[in-house]
Amino acid sequence: MYQGEYHHEKKEGKGKLVFADGSIYVGEFENGKMHGKGHLVAQDGSKFEGSWKDGKLDGEATIDNISGMKCTGTFQAGKRHGHCEVVYPSGMVYNGEWVEDMKCGTGKQTWASGLIYEGEWDNNVPHGEGKQTFPSGNTITGTWENGKLLKDNNK
């Protein structure tokens, strides 16, 4: 059910859309799709707020998932793309670059245990130059390949 402005029989401007599953979007529309600033509360209670384009998050946005995951950053076509900070329910935090929903580029991940990896990422794993800091304070600086330490520069 839609309440709001129309233009040429399409949702256009500000409005409220209640989906069949009970999800509710309040915000801007263009050419019948969520487009511009808006806020979506999904049927499960997850919240999506920010910029939308063609019905998907696009630009600066925040996701507050019912599972406890929170993501704040840049999206493109509904995927994390650019800089985002993600706080996971486990207490792990990743702050860095994303490409099409994958950790890629430079970033820092801190585990709840206190372990930290800061450096280059590709395909969601450490890949390239980086530094791992253990809860004890000891560090390893080196080169990672597909998530595994390839070269320890400390030796």
Side-chain angles (χ1 to χ4, degrees), residues 47 49 57 59-65 69-75 80-87 94-96 98:
K47 297 174 184 169
E49 184 169 5
L57 285 174
E60 295 300 310
T62 298
I63 296 174
D64 195 353
N65 193 295
M69 187 269 306
K70 183 170 185 170
C71 176
T72 303
T74 306
F75 290 77
R80 292 170 286 203
H81 195 89
H83 188 88
C84 289
E85 178 181 73
V86 181
V87 179
Y94 175 80
N95 191 333
W98 295 79

Side-chain angles (χ1 to χ4, degrees), residues 115-143:
L115 179 68
I116 299 168
Y117 173 82
E118 186 168 9
E120 297 173 339
W121 292 78
D122 190 37
N123 203 27
N124 277 340
V125 296
H127 188 86
E129 297 302 309
K131 177 180 173 183
Q132 191 167 41
T133 305
F134 296 90
S136 66
N138 294 336
T139 63
I140 295 175
T141 302
T143 305

Side-chain angles (χ1 to χ4, degrees), residues 76-119:
Q76 184 177 23
K79 296 179 179 180
R80 292 170 286 203
H81 195 89
H83 188 88
C84 289
E85 178 181 73
V86 181
V87 179
Y88 297 90
S90 66
M92 183 173 67
V93 177
Y94 175 80
N95 191 333
E97 300 300 313
W98 295 79
V99 175
E100 294 194 3
D101 247 4
M102 302 286 274
K103 297 171 194 166
C104 187
T106 58
K108 177 180 179 181
Q109 184 159 298
T110 305
W111 284 261
S113 67
L115 179 68
I116 299 168
Y117 173 82
E118 186 168 9

